Amino acid sequence: MNLLRNIFLRREAGIAVMIVLFCIAVGAVKPQFLTLDSLRIILLLTPLIMIGAMGQMLVIVARHVDLSIGSMLGFSAMVTGMMFKFYPEIWWPVGFLVSIGIGAALGLLNGVLVTLFRLPAIIVTLGTLNLYRGLTYIVSNAKQIDRQFVPSALKSMSQTSPIFGIPWIIFISFGIGLLTYGFVMHTRVGRQIFALGSNPIAAPLRGIAVNKVTLLVFTISGALSGLAGILYASRWGFVNPSNTGSGFEFQVIAAVVIGGVSINGGVGTVLGTVLGVLLLGCVAAALPLLGIPGTTQSAIYGAVILIALLIDRTVRQQGIASLSRARA
Amino acid sequence: MSAIENPVVVSAREAAPPRPLWQVIVIRPETMTLVLLILALFGASLLSPYFLDFGYILRSFTLSAEFAMVALVLTMVIIAGEIDLSPAANMALSACLFAFAQQAGIPMPIAIGIGLVAGLVMGAINAIMVIRLQIPSIIVTIGTLTLYRGIAQVIAGDKSIRVPEWFIGVNNVLMAGIPVPVIIFLVMSIVLGLVLGTTIFGRQIYQIGTNEVAARHAGIRSQRIKMGLFLLMGLVSAAAGILTASRLGSVRYDLGLGGELQMVLMAMLGGTYIFGGRGTILGTFLAAWLLVIVSTGMTVANVLPAVQLVVLGVLLVVSIIATNAIYSRTQR
């Protein structure tokens, strides 16, 4: 009983309940929503957001924010796509290394600007958001990488796998989730990210190398955006200099804040973020079924971010209230 | 040895010598902006003789005048220690509502009123979230940025809404040889510059941005002032959106897309301190002209729009680094 109560008191339970209620509500109107087919659709919608959300979660926990992930995704996908196009003789899995490496380099640049010059991440990444997008146009000459250049082995990763025919990218995204869980819960550096986010003044006094941790967090965010970049090529089969990854940051931030990661830093769980991503996936999958046009998606993401912020604030206030009650 | 016997040492320890007056005047971010502006004008005139024609610069300025107006208010918001990334989306949504209303047959003055009220409401939503509910403005305005533009997309869809023929082209109307949007910008600069620089209200904005807790203890109604700034932001954004609609002749949901970069860039290039408490309207005023000359110059020189995006991104980062460096050297 006590265990059950503890589970229900957790933040993640609320999100899980929201997912279930949402699915039941949509299922009541359109029964075909509650089938394995739509589960497949939902899961295929989420991998890119899931991977981006893991990086963004770390950044937000460290009390920063990374707005440039969409452009990092676009740039690394574009360079990888051009490698496929102009050097088709290169073994295609090398693309993963290229994409992740480029993403990591761009993320590192964000981190350097933030730590070296002590600038707020929001302004730096607003600048690099446009900078990286512009670079994407320049390297690609504003030309799209078409379907025939993306290796079919890469594209099939989004179609199927030997394991129950569940596409590889779903395994990859959940694998990244597990890795992130291990990283934040069971490594020293992972815990230091939380320490840094909950009290940036105390963190260096406890011997935490603040600059190194910040650099690491931005680099991870970049590397994961790079991974999402090559998976974009796998999922959609093309890379477009203007569309690929644009608006990605808003989806990811929406998922992360619904997942209960506090924008004040120091609070957040991998499970919550995963559930946040799944909730967004459910919403995105339900819209066309309910006959709501795709143009509403952006408005819904915005509303979701604001609602999640309100919930976060209420939870925080209750936490403070219960603390002061306990003290009195 | 007591302090009375050796007063010189004590006073030297307590206060640094005042900086010479010329340093106070010269080493300021605004000076940097002015120098850059003159350099840019010089470089651009080498590129094309058109830049020596004042009318040409004025006409180019109408393309960014709307953003520049909003950037003036944004400067005040940033000085007060907050930020607003949603004005470009606000412009799009209020312009869409305005265009939608007048297409539905509502008379033009009321349609304009609807657009302005919509902007005010959007500003109020930001203000309530940031000030009443105490959620950081950075993340709130990222959310409302997505929401406002999303609603604009719902209203307008992928189509563009036309405005009547006579309403088009406010940028071509000249008063004393100056396009009307530029006049509005000039008047706003003077009024806001005086308010920020010479009134008690203006000084209070600086105090809030420097240390909000101290300002509140000193009896400054910080919440009310910040609320007012966000409302002003909404109103000016809506007006800028309607002016843009008149300039373009039609409204799409992607009106002013990415404008938040240019607005923040104008404020940052003008030497507004990103952490609040420092900055001037004069700086933003100069930066707006600088940005117009740089981007027009790039267009004249046939620089690809993509490269221009890169240049703007780099400028943003470099300008904050430079501003921070100047402030940390001189005004401690």
Side-chain angles (χ1 to χ4, degrees):
Chain A
M1 200 58 211
N2 216 351
L3 181 73
L4 211 63
R5 233 189 93 207
N6 277 341
I7 290 176
F8 272 104
L9 279 179
R10 293 200 45 142
R11 183 71 191 278
E12 290 83 2
I15 314 162
V17 170
M18 264 160 82
I19 295 179
V20 171
L21 286 181
F22 180 81
C23 289
I24 292 174
V26 178
V29 185
K30 295 272 172 188
Q32 67 263 42
F33 188 68
L34 300 176
T35 57
L36 273 180
D37 237 17
S38 64
L39 179 68
R40 186 186 157 89
I41 293 173
I42 293 171
L43 286 180
L44 268 178
L45 279 170
T46 52
L48 299 186
I49 302 180
M50 178 98 80
I51 291 169
M54 288 303 142
Q56 188 72 258
M57 183 194 93
L58 297 180
V59 175
I60 294 183
V61 164
R63 258 199 215 187
H64 293 285
V65 66
D66 190 346
L67 292 182
S68 68
I69 51 172
S71 299
M72 294 196 285
L73 187 160
F75 185 76
S76 45
M78 182 51 78
V79 174
T80 315
M82 290 176 70
M83 186 193 92
F84 291 146
K85 183 175 176 179
F86 296 113
Y87 302 97
E89 68 277 8
I90 295 178
W91 191 45
W92 66 269
V94 175
F96 276 91
L97 289 180
V98 171
S99 194
I100 294 172
I102 288 173
L106 298 180
L108 182 65
L109 178 61
N110 283 338
V112 167
L113 290 171
V114 169
T115 53
L116 192 63
F117 298 104
R118 296 172 190 282
L119 302 176
I122 179 115
I123 299 294
V124 169
T125 55
L126 180 66
T128 53
L129 158 80
N130 291 274
L131 171 63
Y132 298 158
R133 180 63 62 188
L135 287 178
T136 311
Y137 281 104
I138 293 172
V139 296
S140 65
N141 239 332
K143 285 193 189 71
Q144 175 170 318
I145 303 290
D146 290 320
R147 280 195 77 82
Q148 70 265 26
F149 298 114
V150 179
S152 48
L154 180 62
K155 279 183 283 191
S156 75
M157 286 183 66
S158 302
Q159 310 300 325
T160 183
S161 80
I163 311 153
F164 303 121
I166 300 168
W168 275 114
I169 56 169
I170 294 175
F171 286 116
I172 294 178
S173 66
F174 279 92
I176 293 292
L178 276 180
L179 276 179
T180 315
Y181 179 81
F183 173 62
V184 296
M185 299 306 282
H186 297 293
T187 67
R188 179 173 300 204
V189 183
R191 300 314 300 163
Q192 287 180 344
I193 298 173
F194 282 80
L196 171 62
S198 34
N199 194 335
I201 298 169
L205 303 179
R206 295 284 297 173
I208 294 173
V210 173
N211 282 355
K212 278 186 196 159
V213 174
T214 312
L215 280 178
L216 180 74
V217 163
F218 276 99
T219 312
I220 292 176
S221 172
L224 290 178
S225 306
L227 177 61
I230 188 165
L231 293 183
Y232 183 100
S234 159
R235 175 80 182 80
W236 305 107
F238 67 90
V239 182
N240 183 295
S242 67
N243 290 343
T244 297
S246 86
F248 185 59
E249 56 276 6
F250 297 120
Q251 300 176 9
V252 166
I253 291 174
V256 169
V257 291
I258 312 171
V261 178
S262 170
I263 24 120
N264 293 299
V267 178
T269 61
V270 172
L271 180 63
T273 308
V274 170
L275 289 173
V277 173
L278 289 179
L279 180 58
L280 265 198
C282 288
V283 173
L287 288 184
L289 216 54
L290 295 172
I292 300 169
T295 46
T296 53
Q297 279 222 4
S298 173
I300 288 175
Y301 288 136
V304 153
I305 293 180
L306 294 181
I307 292 169
L309 290 177
L310 289 177
I311 296 173
D312 178 54
R313 178 200 172 255
T314 322
V315 169
R316 194 152 34 94
Q317 290 238 317
Q318 279 174 356
I320 293 168
S322 70
L323 272 182
S324 46
R325 262 202 307 279
R327 213 171 280 161
Chain B
M1 199 188 290
S2 74
I4 300 158
E5 280 171 63
N6 200 346
V8 181
V9 174
V10 171
S11 69
R13 207 180 278 159
E14 277 176 353
R19 288 190 302 130
L21 189 64
W22 68 268
Q23 272 195 11
V24 179
I25 294 170
V26 171
I27 305 185
R28 301 180 60 85
E30 291 87 353
T31 322
M32 169 188 87
T33 316
L34 186 64
V35 170
L36 282 178
L37 179 60
I38 293 167
L39 283 180
L41 206 53
F42 185 69
S45 65
L46 289 182
L47 207 63
S48 147
Y50 283 119
F51 279 99
L52 296 176
D53 174 12
F54 197 56
Y56 180 76
I57 295 176
L58 283 179
R59 277 196 300 282
S60 326
F61 193 82
T62 55
L63 298 180
S64 314
E66 297 95 3
F67 288 159
M69 291 170 205
V70 183
L72 292 175
V73 188
L74 183 63
T75 307
M76 296 168 75
V77 172
I78 296 178
I79 291 174
E82 301 288 344
I83 195 161
D84 191 348
L85 293 180
S86 70
N90 183 334
M91 282 169 67
L93 179 51
S94 30
C96 275
L97 283 169
F98 150 75
F100 193 75
Q102 59 83 24
Q103 206 183 35
I106 295 172
M108 188 58 83
I110 302 179
I112 292 179
I114 289 175
L116 293 179
V117 169
L120 212 54
V121 169
M122 283 182 258
I125 293 174
N126 284 339
I128 290 170
M129 299 279 286
V130 173
I131 293 149
R132 287 267 169 264
L133 303 179
Q134 297 285 314
I135 308 173
S137 54
I138 284 176
I139 197 91
V140 165
T141 54
I142 289 179
T144 52
L145 151 76
T146 323
L147 178 68
Y148 297 161
R149 196 170 293 281
I151 297 176
Q153 201 176 1
V154 172
I155 291 173
D158 287 332
K159 291 184 283 293
S160 57
I161 311 175
R162 304 271 315 160
V163 296
E165 212 49 57
W166 61 267
F167 188 73
I168 300 175
V170 69
N171 55 318
N172 292 328
V173 181
L174 299 183
M175 276 171 73
I178 304 172
V180 169
V182 182
I183 291 193
I184 300 177
F185 172 68
L186 293 176
V187 171
M188 273 185 67
S189 309
I190 294 169
V191 171
L192 293 180
L194 287 177
V195 167
L196 192 62
T198 61
T199 63
I200 295 175
F201 176 77
R203 301 317 298 173
Q204 287 178 338
I205 294 177
Y206 283 101
Q207 286 168 6
I208 295 170
T210 312
N211 189 337
E212 190 177 352
V213 178
R216 211 174 301 159
H217 284 306
I220 294 172
R221 297 179 172 178
S222 69
Q223 297 207 333
R224 201 177 281 192
I225 291 176
K226 286 206 282 191
M227 187 82 96
L229 287 178
F230 273 104
L231 288 177
L232 183 65
M233 194 78 196
L235 188 66
V236 172
S237 304
I242 294 169
L243 285 173
T244 314
S246 164
R247 175 165 62 81
L248 298 175
S250 67
V251 178
R252 278 169 52 92
Y253 79 90
D254 58 359
L255 178 147
L257 190 67
E260 55 277 352
L261 171 77
Q262 288 203 28
M263 297 171 194
V264 174
L265 182 53
M266 283 178 193
M268 293 295 116
L269 265 180
T272 312
Y273 190 48
I274 186 63
F275 299 107
R278 288 156 179 176
T280 54
I281 293 289
L282 176 68
T284 307
F285 176 81
L286 293 173
W289 291 98
L290 171 62
L291 207 57
V292 165
I293 288 168
V294 169
S295 48
T296 319
M298 286 194 293
T299 311
V300 168
N302 261 333
V303 177
L304 287 173
V307 183
Q308 299 192 14
L309 214 54
V310 173
V311 172
L312 295 186
V314 171
L315 261 182
L316 176 59
V317 174
V318 171
S319 67
I320 347 172
I321 295 173
T323 309
N324 282 7
I326 290 175
Y327 279 132
S328 66
R329 284 281 157 73
T330 61
Q331 305 202 343
R332 207 160 260 178

